[in-house]
Amino acid sequence: MTSLSESDAGSSARPTMRHVAKLAGVAVKTVSRVVNGEPNVAPETARRVLDAARALDYQPDPHAGNLRRSDRRTRTLGLLVSSVDNPFAGAVHRAVEDVAVEHGVAVFASSLDDDPEREREAVAAFLRRRVDGLILTTASTNQAYLEPELRRGTPVVFVDREPRGVETDAVVSDNFGGAARAAEHLLARGHRRFAYLGDLHSLQTARHRRRGFLEALDHAGIPVADVPVIEDLHDPERAREALLRLLDGPNPPTAVFSSQNLVTVGALRALRERGRHRDTALVGFDDVELADLLEPGLTVVAQHPEDLGRIAAERVFAKLNGDGSPSQRIVVSTTLIARGSGEIPPSGM
Amino acid sequence: MTSLSESDAGSSARPTMRHVAKLAGVAVKTVSRVVNGEPNVAPETARRVLDAARALDYQPDPHAGNLRRSDRRTRTLGLLVSSVDNPFAGAVHRAVEDVAVEHGVAVFASSLDDDPEREREAVAAFLRRRVDGLILTTASTNQAYLEPELRRGTPVVFVDREPRGVETDAVVSDNFGGAARAAEHLLARGHRRFAYLGDLHSLQTARHRRRGFLEALDHAGIPVADVPVIEDLHDPERAREALLRLLDGPNPPTAVFSSQNLVTVGALRALRERGRHRDTALVGFDDVELADLLEPGLTVVAQHPEDLGRIAAERVFAKLNGDGSPSQRIVVSTTLIARGSGEIPPSGM
DNA sequence: CTGAAAGCGCTAACAG
DNA sequence: CTGTTAGCGCTTTCAG
């Protein structure tokens, strides 16, 4: 039995309800009532309790409370993104945070690095900590491992990439449509010789963008088999090298589509290096900071990560509040922003 | 008394140790031993327990365990940054995360928006959740409110900005030195007419940069009183307007220093708009994506957010592991990256 | 309006 | 090697 003795000098221990109760001269339950704003406490008693709590700098322990409490909420949420050090993910994160704080919920954020193993570990870590809900960007090919958790009623919403093997909500960009739009934009300027620079083929979004781009070309009668499709470019350096090879080849493209942020940066570098940035059209997927200050300005298909994050978070809270509607797949459209590089006409025709 | 009855159909409840113990035909303590890898369990018994745990998809509840456990760690850390949607903060966050995962610790991240009230709320939210340590970027003028928590032994490390009113570690950039370096760089090209574009004067870092820049000019014999110092520029638009006014004025600067990311973007826009980007020197504080692809390339004083984050996290874990060394103020140096804009000589001389 | 007793899921301390 | 008992800090239940 703890003695609840006088204050130990030095490292003051964390006060509990019992300390407050003793100081205020009431029972623990009364402190609990005051702390939780429950009714049926005499104003004078409440004041004494509050004074004692303040004097001790008492902070209720939500973990202890939750153990016995009926709803058992931790007021915590797990967010898994590609990497917290990534502008797209940062915008998603911020939107999620803004919705979460409104609900008094704190956000655990983890980076995925597009590694299936990290995905499993991060999700396990979230679940161990009993988060109330999960917002996930995935790297694995199948998320059936979430089944038991879903059956327990934990809300899970996928963001940016769609789930496989589980029935639950997803909020994604219109990758197919956005890439098709980029193709049409270039076709409208009269281009016939294209190149496609793609991200990891293992990523669903990358495959959707590729399909969208190529199908649009196909519809326009471009012989798609002849279009160089370079994939698995995951960083600027790989992308730069790939485009340099194409530019130095026998039949360089007059129009380039880069399917992602980092790939776009690499493509830009390659074009500069060969002095082709003013006569080769370029459209990138994802908007980039300073895109308007380049010469020419960079034309992009912009995603709306804030919307993805906000909507995903709202879905989680809706489910937490008992919304039992069937799983939805919410598609957020993209926006083509013309700034110059995508409006360059074909050269050498 | 809970009946521990047969599986309820539908929303399967979360299994506890007692469920596992019953299914494996052992006592709860034995399950605890197996789950925690404690010694003295017969291999055969351990196997039965593990099978039962797997069959039920059992996950131990760390909150319940912590209640009784001696060390009482939540394996959780609170990180407060300017905004999670901000490249600098993202890099800090990622570095902190990398150190944290190595220790099996999850990170709560919150955005500050340079608002003292949000700072207090975020810190309170972290503390309520009993984080093991705190890494904080601050907006308030005084952090004495952390005293009680520090006395309880919670490790707190400040990052990017130094604390006031409390004795604890801080990891900051060499703001003074970096800004001075920028001034010297411009002076070396022969500039005599400068302009200083600064962030919110309320921010300590902004004040240090200003001092560093102006003192270096002063040392070089530049009449500092004549240098236009425009402060409280917190976004690109304000910065752009401020520089436009200077450029349109009677005595436009030949060299500009912008004290932060967003301010730099605004300055770049203003220079373009007046067609002065090739004859006005510009050095920005903070590196920016695509800076090398601008024309001219953007010269910056780069900070090293990954180092700030990593070192701050390491300090937290050191303290958690009993390191009782006195508070340190760790200064991470900056790096001037010359890319063109800062090497433009004075025009019209 | 107030409080005593029981118990949340787990671990500490001690038996066997 | 295994189990029993108590109790972490709080809420629930129920009795004053």
Side-chain angles (χ1 to χ4, degrees):
Chain A
M1 186 175 271
T2 314
S3 63
L4 212 58
S5 62
E6 12 288 291
S7 64
D8 26 340
S11 60
S12 42
R14 201 179 284 285
T16 73
M17 264 193 186
R18 289 176 57 219
H19 294 94
V20 179
K22 198 189 176 201
L23 184 57
V26 297
V28 184
K29 176 68 231 194
T30 300
V31 178
S32 170
R33 285 204 179 87
V34 174
V35 165
N36 295 297
E38 284 171 34
N40 295 334
V41 179
E44 157 62 11
T45 312
R47 207 191 42 68
R48 279 211 330 273
V49 170
L50 255 13
D51 285 351
R54 205 170 348 253
L56 298 172
D57 191 42
Y58 168 74
Q59 298 270 136
D61 185 329
H63 301 120
N66 268 341
L67 219 45
R68 195 67 170 77
R69 211 189 304 270
S70 36
D71 67 342
R72 233 110 161 38
R73 294 267 168 90
T74 55
R75 305 196 81 74
T76 264
L77 204 133
L79 171 68
L80 184 58
V81 293
S82 53
S83 169
V84 296
D85 175 24
N86 165 312
F88 179 84
V92 171
H93 185 175
R94 180 60 203 249
V96 169
E97 182 192 350
D98 286 345
V99 176
V101 292
E102 279 175 27
H103 294 259
V105 163
V107 179
F108 283 119
S110 276
S111 299
L112 176 63
D113 284 337
D114 292 332
D115 175 354
E117 205 173 315
R118 267 192 90 135
E119 174 188 327
R120 297 293 295 261
E121 285 164 7
V123 170
F126 287 150
L127 260 20
R128 244 197 318 278
R129 290 185 171 82
R130 298 288 192 267
V131 295
D132 295 336
L134 244 24
I135 297 179
L136 304 177
T137 305
T138 53
S140 66
T141 50
N142 190 294
Q143 290 81 42
Y145 64 89
L146 285 167
E147 257 312 330
E149 199 58 31
L150 280 165
R151 262 201 306 276
R152 269 177 214 124
T154 306
V156 179
V157 175
F158 286 80
V159 72
D160 188 35
R161 300 172 196 162
E162 293 171 43
R164 295 286 186 95
V166 278
E167 246 313 274
T168 187
D169 286 31
V171 187
V172 297
S173 281
D174 180 13
N175 292 295
F176 182 92
R181 182 87 184 67
E184 288 154 12
H185 191 75
L186 293 166
L187 284 162
R189 263 72 193 171
H191 290 277
R192 312 289 299 170
R193 295 213 312 274
F194 299 89
Y196 177 90
L197 303 180
D199 200 346
L200 297 180
H201 187 78
S202 63
L203 299 178
Q204 186 191 74
T205 48
R207 294 194 301 273
H208 286 180
R209 288 171 200 172
R210 176 194 152 142
R211 270 209 305 121
F213 188 75
L214 295 180
E215 285 192 17
L217 294 189
D218 190 44
H219 280 318
I222 303 287
V224 166
D226 299 347
V227 175
V229 171
I230 323 286
E231 294 190 273
D232 293 320
L233 306 169
H234 204 50
D235 60 80
E237 193 41 33
R238 304 279 307 276
R240 173 182 155 274
E241 289 164 6
L243 183 50
L244 283 179
R245 266 192 299 280
L246 291 175
L247 292 173
D248 294 341
N251 208 18
T254 65
V256 176
F257 176 68
S258 57
S259 89
Q260 182 248 75
N261 239 308
L262 301 175
V263 176
T264 303
V265 172
L268 284 166
R269 297 220 165 100
L271 290 174
R272 297 289 159 128
E273 236 170 291
R274 290 294 180 265
R276 304 294 306 275
H277 54 295
R278 294 184 196 286
D279 57 37
T280 304
L282 174 66
V283 177
F285 206 100
D286 275 351
D287 203 2
V288 212
E289 184 96 35
L290 297 195
D292 60 319
L293 292 174
L294 298 174
E295 293 171 13
L298 178 65
T299 295
V300 298
V301 175
Q303 297 189 74
H304 301 293
E306 326 74 33
D307 292 332
L308 294 175
R310 181 180 46 74
I311 296 171
E314 284 168 352
R315 287 299 305 146
V316 166
F317 285 105
K319 287 165 169 234
L320 239 18
N321 291 330
D323 176 334
S325 51
S327 323
Q328 307 179 35
R329 181 172 162 279
I330 299 171
V331 179
V332 175
S333 61
T334 57
T335 307
L336 190 139
I337 306 175
R339 295 195 183 103
S341 74
E343 293 71 54
I344 295 173
S347 59
M349 281 192 75
Chain B
M1 185 175 274
T2 312
S3 61
L4 212 57
S5 63
E6 12 287 290
S7 63
D8 27 339
S11 60
S12 43
R14 201 179 284 284
T16 74
M17 265 193 186
R18 287 175 60 218
H19 295 94
V20 179
K22 198 192 175 196
L23 184 57
V26 297
V28 187
K29 177 69 230 194
T30 301
V31 178
S32 170
R33 285 203 180 88
V34 174
V35 165
N36 295 298
E38 284 171 33
N40 295 334
V41 179
E44 157 61 11
T45 312
R47 208 190 42 69
R48 279 210 331 273
V49 169
L50 255 13
D51 285 351
R54 205 169 350 250
L56 299 172
D57 191 43
Y58 169 74
Q59 298 271 136
D61 185 331
H63 301 119
N66 268 341
L67 218 45
R68 194 65 170 80
R69 213 188 303 269
S70 36
D71 65 344
R72 234 117 156 33
R73 296 265 168 91
T74 55
R75 305 197 80 73
T76 265
L77 206 130
L79 171 67
L80 185 58
V81 293
S82 53
S83 169
V84 295
D85 175 23
N86 166 311
F88 180 84
V92 171
H93 185 175
R94 180 58 202 249
V96 169
E97 181 192 351
D98 287 346
V99 176
V101 291
E102 278 175 29
H103 293 258
V105 163
V107 180
F108 283 118
S110 277
S111 300
L112 176 63
D113 284 336
D114 292 331
D115 174 354
E117 206 173 314
R118 267 191 90 135
E119 173 186 328
R120 297 294 295 262
E121 286 164 6
V123 170
F126 289 150
L127 260 20
R128 245 198 317 276
R129 291 186 169 81
R130 298 290 192 266
V131 296
D132 295 336
L134 244 23
I135 298 179
L136 304 178
T137 306
T138 54
S140 65
T141 50
N142 190 295
Q143 291 79 41
Y145 63 90
L146 284 167
E147 258 311 331
E149 198 58 32
L150 280 165
R151 260 200 308 274
R152 269 177 213 123
T154 305
V156 180
V157 175
F158 287 80
V159 71
D160 187 36
R161 299 173 196 162
E162 292 170 45
R164 295 286 185 93
V166 277
E167 244 316 271
T168 187
D169 285 31
V171 186
V172 296
S173 281
D174 180 14
N175 292 296
F176 182 92
R181 182 87 183 67
E184 288 154 12
H185 191 75
L186 292 166
L187 284 162
R189 264 71 194 171
H191 289 277
R192 310 291 296 171
R193 294 214 312 275
F194 299 88
Y196 177 90
L197 304 181
D199 200 346
L200 297 180
H201 187 79
S202 63
L203 299 178
Q204 186 191 73
T205 50
R207 293 194 301 273
H208 286 179
R209 289 171 198 172
R210 174 192 154 143
R211 268 210 306 121
F213 188 77
L214 295 180
E215 286 192 16
L217 293 189
D218 190 44
H219 281 317
I222 302 287
V224 166
D226 299 347
V227 175
V229 171
I230 322 287
E231 293 189 275
D232 293 321
L233 306 170
H234 205 50
D235 59 80
E237 193 40 35
R238 304 280 306 276
R240 173 181 155 274
E241 289 164 6
L243 184 50
L244 282 179
R245 265 193 299 280
L246 292 175
L247 292 174
D248 294 340
N251 208 18
T254 66
V256 176
F257 177 68
S258 57
S259 90
Q260 181 249 73
N261 240 307
L262 301 176
V263 177
T264 303
V265 172
L268 284 166
R269 296 222 165 98
L271 290 174
R272 296 288 159 129
E273 237 170 289
R274 290 294 180 264
R276 305 294 306 276
H277 53 295
R278 295 184 194 287
D279 59 36
T280 304
L282 174 66
V283 176
F285 206 100
D286 275 352
D287 203 2
V288 213
E289 183 97 34
L290 297 193
D292 61 319
L293 292 174
L294 297 174
E295 292 171 14
L298 178 67
T299 295
V300 299
V301 176
Q303 296 189 73
H304 302 292
E306 325 74 33
D307 292 332
L308 294 175
R310 181 179 47 73
I311 295 170
E314 283 167 352
R315 286 301 304 146
V316 166
F317 285 105
K319 288 167 167 228
L320 238 18
N321 292 330
D323 176 336
S325 51
S327 320
Q328 306 179 35
R329 180 171 163 280
I330 299 172
V331 178
V332 175
S333 61
T334 57
T335 308
L336 189 138
I337 305 176
R339 296 197 183 100
S341 73
E343 293 70 54
I344 295 172
S347 59
M349 281 193 74

